[in-house]
Amino acid sequence: MKFYTRHFRHETGTLPPGLIRKGRFLFSCCMLFFFITPAFSQTAKITVTGTVRDSTAKGIPQVTVTENGTKNATFTDGEGRFTLKTGPNAVLLFTSIGFIDTRQAVGDGKDLSIVLSHSNSDLGDVIVVGYGTRKKESITAAIATVTSKDIDRVHGGSTVSTTLAGKLPGVTFRQAEGRPGASASIQIRNMGTPLYVIDGIQQDEGQFNNLAPNDVESITVLKDASAAIYGVRAANGVVVVTTKKGTTGKNTINLDAYKGWQSFFRFPKVVTKTYDYLYYKADAEMNTGGSTSTTQAVLDAAKAGTDPQYRSFDWRKYVLGNNGAPLNSVNVNISGGNDKVNYYVSGTELYQNSVLGKEYNFNRTNIQSNVTAKLSTGLKVGFDINGRVETRKNPGVPGGDDYFLARLAVLRNTPMERPFANDNPQYLNDLGPHLESNYAFLNEKLSGHFRSDWRVIQTNFHIDYDIPGIKGLSVRGLGSYYMADELENNQEYTYKAYTYIDSSKTYKATGGSTNPWRDREQIKQINTDVQLQANYTNTFGHHTVGATVVAERIQNHYTRNWLHASPQSNYLPLITFAIMDQYQDADNTQARIGYIGRVTYSYSNKYFLEASARRDASYLFAPGKQVGYFPGFSAGWKVTEEPWFKALLHDNVNILSDWKLRGSYGILGDDNPNNTPIVPPFAYLQGYNYGTDNNGNLLTPSILDGNTVTASRDRGAAVTNISWLKSRITDLGTDFSFLNGKLTGTFDWFYRKRTGLPGLKNDVVLPLETGYNLSQVNINSDAQYGEEGSLAYNGRIRNVGFTISGNLSFTRNKFLSSYNPLFFNSYDQYRNSSEGRYTNIGWGYICIGQFKSQEQINSYKVDIDGQGNKTLLPGDLIYKDVNGDNKIDDLDQRPIGYGYGTQPNINFGFSIAANYKGFDFHADFSGASGYTWYQNWEQRWAFQNNGNLNAIFTDRWHRQNIYDLNSPWVAGKYPPNRYNISNHSDYTTNSTFWLHNVTMFRARTIEFGYSVPQTVLKRMKVQRVRIYANAYNLFSLDNLHQYGVDPETIDDNGLQFPQNRVINVGLNLSF
Amino acid sequence: MKKIVSILTITTLTVGWWGCKKDSDFLDVQPTTFLTTDQVFSDPNLALTVLSDLYNRQEDLTSLDGYLQPYSNNTEPGWRTMADFSESFPSENGSSYIVSRTGWGYDAWRLDWTRAYTYIRELNLFLARDSASTGLSVADRTRFYAEGRFLRAIFYFEMARRMGGVPLITRTLDYDYKGNVTSLQFPRAKESDMYDFIISEAEAIKNDLPSDINEKSRASKGAALAMECRAALYAASIAKYGAGTPSVALPGGEVGIDAAKATGYYNAALTAAKEIISGAAGPYALYNNGGDLSDNFANLFLDKASAETIFMEDFKTGGKTHAFTTNDQPYSFSDEGGDAGRLNPSLNLAEAYEKLDNTYAPFATVDGGGNPIYYTNLQDIFAGRDARLAGTILLPDGTFKGKTVDIWAGYVLADGSIFTSDEAGHHKTLPGTSTPVQVVGTDGPVNGLELRSQSGFYIRKYLDPTTGSGRRGQGSTVAFIRYRFAEVLLNAAEAAFELGDPATAAGYMNQVRARAGLTTPLVAADITFDRIVHERRVELAFEGHILFDMKRWRLAHKVWDGAPTGLADLVSNIGVATKHSTQPWGLWPYKLYNPASPDNGKWLFKETLPALVTGTNRFLFGNYYSLIGNDVIAANPKIIRQPNQ
């Protein structure tokens, strides 16, 4: 070994330093199995001394130093020094929590210098799994974890989900919305909405998103059979969140504050000059009907710009006027403890404003208090509280989405339209049908008030007691009470809009709204969860066994009322019975019971086995059919612990320090796929629903004899033969660590087969005249499968420590089979079958080009527009006549996209971190591919809905002289514009011209920080001071930039509230 | 130790609390909107809630709240169901397909089969449960039973007039899970069976229903008779006029009725009508509250106490309202920008209203020499006409809610050119002047400008003058009248005429006409088939009759023949039943601007085809009976297809 090592050094000693490292790495990997010499033993003991340091060359105290394979061990002192007597060829093992286990041969034993790397993957860490924790090294399941240090840096939104882009292999991410308080859509392996568990309690997505990110200690995703322990709701994986707890030791006060400035990452552009608007409008009208009322004289006047009626107004600038809207957060937390009590108490205030205006904002105050007290030997009680007030405020705006009209204003209002009559801010200008998108009235003064407050408190009380007399046996009781309260008040005012009468110099009220709207919603959600748990764990020689049993009862109670009224005046916010005309009331309860068992076994830290089962009962099903059993198994083999493998490596941990193979299989249930109960609640009951249909939708009452009579409807035949669907997940994975833990990674392959998706048996077809359907049964199946992996490299060049890590995941969903599918003909089968096909297919024409000339159109054989091509002009789209029948119709459509609004099939993340002395740098990137954005409406044709012209359409086919129908055509990207025509063959059907399969790679957080050195801090009597500047969404490389939309947007009109680009400065302070 | 004890006690109590509720009890969550069948049928108020839902689920092709589209849960707004057949123009971008298409698909107007028979099943269940109930009084039970049968009959009538004969299911059908469904497969009934069923049901239940003219929203004797009368008239005319379209029939009689049966049905219709007219079902009468005749006619649809209304769908604030006024009020009256003006009656319909001397004439826009006729007042051109014209249609300068509608298309200059704007209500400077003036009406017409009239007219029938009725959040409570006394009179007139008694027919028709100001009575010799067709069109416009009337008279393929409607077509043959009407025209007022002319500032009119009218209505033989879908036939092979499809 020595020989070869020396040889190696000799060989590489002449190479430049960069290549050395590279060479060593390659060499290590490739030559692993060829350069082995047998170990030989010696008996004489030598005294070994040395120092253990971290990557900053600081000594590490309390490191365990063990002569490998023996019980001979010692600890390092306060400066990291140690002394140990060993055999001369011994190998020392250095272990310390938070560092990678490191082995080193003693050599001559004199002043060894050992550098321990911080473990990036924290193999020694404790990972939270269902109903317990596990040491990372004994994990046998596909689990990914992200900790506070990775999510605290992300200041791009206000919710927890927005921090997760690219952070976790196997977690897909799409944030289509960026409005204040918006969240991202995240899924585990695209399996559907996951179950969220926060501090042991099953919760919903909203509760997850609105925790203070500062209070989150870790987020663990259970991606495989390990989720089976959560039973009937776990089929889509589980996100387990743990909040921060106090640590024994010093009391620390931390302050984490930042201020950010937001701007729209991207938003469509429009023409902003009246001349341009009129010019393109005239062009479009000429193309539409061969004539236009906009004459050359008008254009000339507009160009001259002297006539006030041709002044230009830039609505985009006006609406997006609050550029740099703040996103601020201040978190103060105090944590600490002693041997009796530890605590973490925290308060966070977050404020997010909108680019669309100062009056559109989101505010959240979070508190968290986690206290645990040790009452006596073996008895601990804890009380964890988290609460928040979440406020959304904006003007009361007509229509469902209060942020929509402002965005629409950018695209719809033309440069000729002005917000105020005669530019007098006292008089809102009547823009006719565009009045509602006159941004000038979308404020609290004119359009009203909207405010929604969620007030949420969750309290968890838990007792842990170690049963005396039986080593390793403990019991735990957990009670949780959660209350969420919403109060929403919305008042939309009546208002007047004016037209300026030039002849009389007066303002005449010509429009506005006489329709007041007042609504109030109150929701109370109360969830209780009681868990009784017993744990046993013990080690007998090489055998470690563990067992957990849990009984859990969950009850969710939801009440809601909503009312609507028409106030007599804008000045009267109170609602009286006389003005109220609608009232809705709901009161729903859900109940679930679970009994959970799990046993674990490990041998010599080498073989790991785990089996769990949950007996779950759901209220959704008929009595007697409510119970199901959900087992899961997993096994792990730590190959590097095998003596023969160590021998193979000759104990050289520098090469392959850790290698584990693992596999898991489990059966999980889902009674609520896609957040919809698989069967309507109480479908097993026969009778009548009072006031609603089976899905809980309100039935319209009828007016009989002048009275409003509530409607009741027959519930239909009782449904008793449907149950939850079953999801079987197989996962094979490996975790590895090379180069003394510098290079770590993990790889997983998985396959989830779901059976029992609801479908109909068609052996018997009931005549429709019977008036009812045979109920659905659990009959169809689908599969979700893919791979994911991650790699991280921890290194140091002189004083610069750095980490590079990346992850990549791929997943797809395929429908497997339905029961005896029937098709009318082979085309029907081709077009409508889902058997064995990928789900989420977008169909459309294949665009093979654009017509170059009228002659080409005239002689073109294929009927593109269904009207003998008489509606076509040069530049119009040519579709592929797939079936060769010389006409384009449905039969020519082919799969061209991944479906509307779906999660990406491919996700990846990449991050670089480096530090030098007090400076640190982080750059996180994330990317995605395998999803589709549809270009439609404002993004597909010009002047949609008599609006302004989207600037992308200025690059279009047009005549050289737009007024001369015989003038030559000039090529452009888009077909010739028509004026607000949507039923042209260019636009009516999706085609490859309008569908874009997106690939994007975007910068997430790029951060520079500086920590004040210890020497200065000592004088200031503080522990830590760090300042930083960070940018979120600085740039993106993708194929949607040319349309002016964010690459993650979903809405096909491109008007969705995009993600923000945020520039932040922040401060971390610890006392 | 004491602490441990107390903590353990608490833990024990927790476990105890856990244990005190069995799992099955914990999971036994009760729904909050659930009633057992027994509970429902032992309380008349609860049974009425079931009827309430059944009343609500009647299908109307034309209504104020909307028409539920087959095979989807989309509701077409009520106005759009009236905007077809060239009787009106749809002034909404998203609805211009109505005037750009070249006819109707065979699936037009069909009912959703699944939805229909689910409703029938629930009606049959209601009847079975009601008759089996012991908790209801005999009076309640009997009345509910009759109401259920009424709703079932009226629904089968709706199916018959759209699709002809359909399987007549009068009991609940249940699958026995034995693998054989032939016992559940029923063939289509004959079209005549459908009408026979409706007539016999009406006769069977009429005396179990209240004979009370104030009972308008629930079934009454009057409603049963009105339904019977209309159904019999339909059957009779299909028998008589179906002979002229022999290809619109099926050999088994599922479509088409033997001509020999016509007389019997006409007699049945006349008998039922006479029973109502005689007052046997209550003192129904034409609405005649004096005052302006046009206002009186409009008020008939607003006054829920009207003695003319026999059966209606009612609306009420806080319960159920509709958006008809929101959608269709004139633009300048709108409560919110963007919600107005969608339904614009056509000139085709407007000119059909007679002059007071019982003659037909187009509106006089030009004199014999082809020169424009100038009018001092906008409304002068409409003077001397049937009062129902202004009662049904809001004319230029017409009054609504105390304000006048501002409809005019622009200026005509001295050289005959038109000076206007493509923006409603726009101010511009007229040639040779310096001060901008308004050059077009705030309510239109501007070609292609939605929500403003593009025909020169707005709708008045059903338009609600109540404050706030046009607001989105509030809505209108104007009732939709399904049966009214005037129709019964016209039914009687038609039946009498077809039975060879034009004098009686004239008597019935003159009552209706006199209320409209046509005080010169028609005599027996004046009564022709064309007169009957005409009278129903103008009296019952927008009430959901035109399609079904044209179908039963087998006129549909003649009136909507697919040929474009030229100006010459438009202004000739008014009052002729077969006059074709395939495109909705408008009548646009202009103001003359010619300071040199004595007519300066006066009004002239131009017949105008709105630019968006690019299609024509073509009614095919296959349209007479709406398509029965493949899904229906695949599930029941005994169902045969419609003719000509």
Side-chain angles (χ1 to χ4, degrees), chain A residues 800-820:
Chain A
V800 181
F802 64 92
T803 306
I804 301 175
S805 62
N807 67 72
L808 173 66
S809 9
F810 165 79
T811 175
R812 277 215 88 166
N813 185 275
K814 191 178 257 188
F815 187 83
L816 294 177
S817 63
S818 63
Y819 184 82
N820 186 25

Side-chain angles (χ1 to χ4, degrees), chain A residues 183 483 746 764 822 897 909:
Chain A
S183 345
M483 189 181 86
T746 177
V764 170
L822 296 173

Side-chain angles (χ1 to χ4, degrees), chain A residues 980-1038:
Chain A
N980 188 25
I981 294 288
S982 59
N983 58 3
H984 187 270
S985 64
D986 286 342
Y987 311 125
T988 46
T989 311
N990 283 326
S991 70
T992 52
F993 193 84
W994 303 116
L995 259 64
H996 309 292
N997 293 329
V998 188
T999 298
M1000 65 119 184
F1001 177 76
R1002 70 195 299 177
R1004 291 299 183 175
T1005 300
I1006 294 179
E1007 178 171 293
F1008 283 97
Y1010 174 70
S1011 302
V1012 176
Q1014 289 296 325
T1015 47
V1016 181
L1017 292 182
K1018 270 182 190 155
R1019 266 179 276 144
M1020 293 163 64
K1021 296 216 165 72
V1022 293
Q1023 288 179 34
R1024 181 179 184 228
V1025 177
R1026 178 174 174 270
I1027 51 168
Y1028 61 89
N1030 118 2
Y1032 187 79
N1033 273 342
L1034 203 53
F1035 64 86
S1036 166
L1037 307 174
D1038 60 74

Side-chain angles (χ1 to χ4, degrees), chain A residues 376 503 513-515 553 581 587 595 682 688-690 700-702 705-706 709-710 712-714 769 772, chain B residues 4 18 21 23 29 32-33 35 49 52-53 56 113 129 175 215 217 316 318 335-336 435 471-472 636:
Chain A
S376 97
S503 51
S513 167
T514 58
N515 175 16
R553 281 183 173 186
D581 55 15
D587 181 342
Y595 292 100
F682 314 110
Y688 285 87
N689 281 324
Y690 181 83
T700 310
S702 66
D705 299 334
V709 182
T710 303
S712 296
R713 186 171 293 180
D714 182 61
E769 296 81 47
Y772 75 108
Chain B
I4 295 187
W18 171 283
K21 212 172 187 185
D23 278 7
V29 174
T32 47
T33 60
L35 293 167
T49 65
S52 164
D53 186 51
N56 247 355
W113 207 268
R129 288 169 179 168
Y175 176 50
E215 185 54 82
S217 50
K316 187 182 179 187
D335 291 85
E336 243 150 342
T435 314
R471 296 175 189 166
R472 283 176 205 161
N636 180 0

Side-chain angles (χ1 to χ4, degrees), chain B residues 515-573:
Chain B
R515 193 254 306 262
L518 297 161
T519 45
T520 311
L522 297 175
V523 296
D526 294 330
I527 304 298
T528 60
F529 175 69
D530 288 13
R531 270 281 175 200
I532 301 274
V533 170
H534 167 263
E535 203 61 48
R536 285 183 76 91
R537 182 182 179 200
V538 294
E539 173 72 26
L540 303 173
F542 303 113
E543 293 178 50
H545 290 271
I546 181 123
L547 170 69
F548 300 113
D549 278 348
M550 291 298 158
K551 275 170 59 165
R552 67 185 174 91
W553 290 320
R554 298 295 188 256
L555 284 174
H557 65 285
K558 295 176 182 160
V559 172
W560 303 307
D561 62 357
T565 306
L567 180 57
D569 296 342
L570 180 74
V571 297
S572 57
N573 293 325

Side-chain angles (χ1 to χ4, degrees), chain B residues 199-403:
Chain B
I199 293 164
S200 71
E201 286 289 285
E203 284 298 315
I205 61 176
K206 67 181 184 189
N207 292 322
D208 291 339
L209 292 169
S211 190
D212 175 4
I213 72 158
N214 295 315
E215 185 54 82
K216 299 179 191 299
S217 50
R218 288 173 68 179
S220 62
K221 183 176 184 181
L225 286 168
M227 169 183 75
E228 179 186 359
C229 169
R230 191 195 290 176
L233 188 68
Y234 272 48
S237 45
I238 290 166
K240 180 172 181 192
Y241 296 100
T245 53
S247 74
V248 185
L250 287 170
E254 294 86 354
V255 163
I257 298 175
D258 182 2
K261 291 185 169 177
T263 306
Y265 284 128
Y266 280 125
N267 274 321
L270 189 56
T271 309
K274 278 181 172 165
E275 198 170 343
I276 298 172
I277 296 165
S278 71
Y284 293 106
L286 290 176
Y287 187 79
N288 237 330
N289 273 14
D292 177 79
L293 291 177
S294 294
D295 291 347
N296 178 66
F297 188 71
N299 289 340
L300 137 67
F301 298 92
L302 308 178
D303 185 351
K304 291 182 183 178
S306 154
E308 183 166 345
T309 304
I310 300 172
F311 184 54
M312 67 183 186
E313 179 185 18
D314 202 0
F315 296 88
K316 187 182 179 187
T317 302
K320 171 174 142 184
T321 58
H322 59 77
F324 186 83
T325 300
T326 309
N327 285 322
D328 302 314
Q329 60 198 330
Y331 189 85
S332 60
F333 294 74
S334 76
D335 291 85
E336 243 150 342
D339 261 335
R342 290 173 168 87
L343 184 64
N344 310 155
S346 67
L347 173 57
N348 314 32
L349 174 67
E351 69 177 8
Y353 288 91
E354 292 155 68
K355 296 171 83 166
L356 290 175
D357 60 2
N358 296 348
T359 62
Y360 303 110
F363 295 113
T365 56
V366 288
D367 61 21
N371 302 310
I373 300 175
Y374 295 100
Y375 293 92
T376 308
N377 297 307
L378 258 175
Q379 296 229 324
D380 290 351
I381 191 172
F382 306 110
R385 296 249 173 184
D386 185 336
R388 290 172 294 191
L389 169 63
T392 306
I393 298 173
L394 195 53
L395 304 166
D397 216 22
T399 306
F400 177 63
K401 284 191 190 175
K403 291 201 288 182

Side-chain angles (χ1 to χ4, degrees), chain B residues 3-25:
Chain B
K3 252 188 305 193
I4 295 187
V5 170
S6 54
I7 294 293
L8 289 180
T9 309
I10 292 170
T11 312
T12 314
L13 286 174
T14 311
V15 176
W17 171 77
W18 171 283
C20 75
K21 212 172 187 185
K22 287 198 304 188
D23 278 7
S24 54
D25 293 339

Side-chain angles (χ1 to χ4, degrees), chain A residues 174 842-850 864 872 875-879 893-894 896-901 931-944 949-957 972-978 981-998 1039-1040 1042-1043 1045 1049-1054:
Chain A
R174 185 170 184 177
W843 290 76
Y845 297 142
I846 298 164
C847 177
I848 53 173
Q850 287 164 274
I864 301 280
L872 300 186
D876 281 336
L877 306 182
I878 310 175
Y879 299 126
Q893 295 194 5
R894 286 297 174 269
I896 57 171
Y898 296 102
Y900 186 87
Y931 66 105
T932 306
W933 179 65
Y934 291 60
Q935 196 178 353
N936 205 350
W937 309 105
E938 279 87 348
Q939 307 300 320
R940 192 176 283 189
W941 57 82
F943 304 103
Q944 140 73 4
L949 183 73
N950 185 341
I952 60 174
F953 296 120
T954 56
D955 182 5
R956 82 294 179 212
W957 279 74
K973 175 176 163 63
Y974 286 96
N977 292 335
R978 277 88 171 176
I981 294 288
S982 59
N983 58 3
H984 187 270
S985 64
D986 286 342
Y987 311 125
T988 46
T989 311
N990 283 326
S991 70
T992 52
F993 193 84
W994 303 116
L995 259 64
H996 309 292
N997 293 329
V998 188
N1039 55 337
L1040 294 189
Q1042 51 193 315
Y1043 312 108
V1045 297
T1049 201
I1050 289 177
D1051 287 359
D1052 53 1
N1053 60 13

